[in-house]
Amino acid sequence: MSDLLQFLFSGLTRGSIYGLVGIGFALIYRSSHVINFAQGEFVMIGGMVTVFLLAAGVPLPVAALGAILAAALIGVVAQVAIISRMRRPSTLSIIIVTVGISMFLRGAAEALLGRQFFSMKGFSGDDALVLLGAKVSPQSIWIFVSLVVTTAAISLFFRRTILGKGIQATSSNRLAAHLVGIDVPAVLAICFALSAALGALAGLLTTPITLTQYDVGITLGMKGFCAAILGGLANPFGAILGGLILGFAEALAGGYVSSAYQDAVAFILIIAMLLVRPNGLFSAPTVDRV
Amino acid sequence: MLLSISSLSCAYDGLVALRGVSMHVAEGELVCVVGRNGAGKSTLLRAISGVQPVFGGSIEFDGADVTRLASPKRVKSGIVQVPEGRQVFPEMTVEDNLRLGGYRRRSEISERLEKAFEMFPVLRERRDSAAGSLSGGQQQMLVVGRALMSRPRLLMLDEPSMGLAPQMVAQIFKTIQLLKNSGTTILLVEQNAAGALALADRGYVLETGQIALAGAGRELLKDPRVRRAYLGN
Ligand SMILES: Nc1ncnc2c1ncn2[C@@H]1O[C@H](COP(=O)(O)OP(=O)(O)OP(=O)(O)O)[C@@H](O)[C@H]1O
Ligand SMILES: [Mg+2]
């Protein structure tokens, strides 16, 4: 019983991170029908910038904010300077470009920082708490609370602000969005900024537990992508649930089967999903235009 | 002059769709553009809205050159289009669709929303439904209501009656008449030349990207060439 509880806590922690990364995929897919394979690199940037700002003596909240803003800025630059300038972009060519951006960012991190691991202390120390007989690191609680707060904030943003509605409108009908006066290029850039910021948040939250390295974005990006696919790709809230499902599945597989198979769980879930429910677990039936 | 266009030219991939179109719309006028399929009517409206690249000529709105202005700024200055094909935001609610019409005039959204509901009571009843679930006629009311949310100075309607049942067509034309009477300047594109020209102060006939005829609405209705080509006699 306490084993199971231990696995569930571990699943919740992983799942929350995957969910945060997954929202980024979903936001960009939703607004521009692009899969941004550089999403994982923003996770790396979030962790790295925080580590280095902390080492430079900057207090944690400022370092975290700085890392999130740095990632958002890089996201906007990538979108405005490269992706939005593509002539006749096809889905495939944009995917190739985002893979290129991801390789560039990873390569730059490797050249600047080498291949070693970097770490930082947990936000509230590293002494595990005991909850119902299972050990939980305080960082896991930070991670879970951040996921809840982010989800609530995003939901409010989409339901209550005109900019949030403008993003939905842009994804729903691009021509009509232009004609009601939405600055569509700006909306697309904002979505890239938001996705990068969420990726960076995931990165700086997880670094005390998993450490960070120039190429952590490969695995975390893949897991976030899986979370988004499970959730239906265009649905940010689906991505969160998808992330949690993946996190629990991995933790249970790692605990009861073998940790060697843990990373295969994501692939198995993606393949099963694409075979059985290609539109994701939570996608509403599509509304046909009359 | 509210809108004046001179020698406007547009092309798709080198295929010319508008060649040297000149026309104007005065404040308070209802001007109608008729023409066959593919004549370039929608291209003209799209160019005026700024969602269609232009390779020659100029567009002046309220005395300012807007030829190179980005589309959101044109909406802000009062150029609003209801595009052909009832372009709603299908997954979003009726109310959200309307609110988005006020994207460039946010302070007035609640007040204008009330006006839109008064004008089209059925939209109030369906305010929480997905726009994609409305009937064709209701969607047409929705996109007209959405355009009115920003208090347009020039309202452009692209074939608002297309594909609607006769009863709905009559209602749409009645709405256009009402808007005109309340002082709205309207540029109307229609294939239903008889209905549109009867309503319009002036009209233009567009043929393969060029203005073939221009004149008062009723005169055009009597013109033998128009009768032969567009009215079937
Ligand atoms: N996206 C496009 N790509 C290439 N050519 C286009 C495109 N849209 C329109 N055209 C061409 O430009 C010309 C003008 O088209 P436009 O849609 O403006 O005509 P229209 O008068 O609005 O016709 P309809 O009554 O069918 O709506 C046509 O020859 C059409 O084939
Ligand atoms: Mg047309």
Side-chain angles (χ1 to χ4, degrees), chain A residues 13-26 37 39-41 43 202 206 210 216-231 233 238-251 259-270:
Chain A
T13 309
R14 292 162 170 273
S16 301
I17 292 293
Y18 301 159
L20 283 172
V21 182
I23 307 173
F25 278 101
F37 281 107
Q39 181 65 9
E41 272 49 54
V43 179
T206 192
T210 59
V216 286
I218 301 178
T219 324
L220 278 172
M222 213 283 293
K223 301 288 174 65
F225 179 56
C226 175
I229 294 266
L230 287 174
L233 207 49
I240 294 166
L241 290 175
L244 291 173
I245 290 173
L246 175 60
F248 286 127
E250 277 190 3
S259 55
Y261 295 126
Q262 215 163 34
D263 282 339
V265 168
F267 290 109
I268 295 170
L269 281 178
I270 288 189

Side-chain angles (χ1 to χ4, degrees), chain B residues 12-13 15-18 35-44 46 52 84 158-159 162 189 191 206:
Chain B
Y12 295 96
D13 287 329
L15 212 91
V16 179
L18 287 183
R36 277 183 225 284
N37 280 332
K41 308 179 295 293
S42 299
T43 306
L44 175 64
R46 290 163 52 82
Q52 174 73 48
E84 64 188 338
D158 195 347
E159 308 209 25
M162 190 169 60
V189 160
Q191 286 202 36
L206 200 59

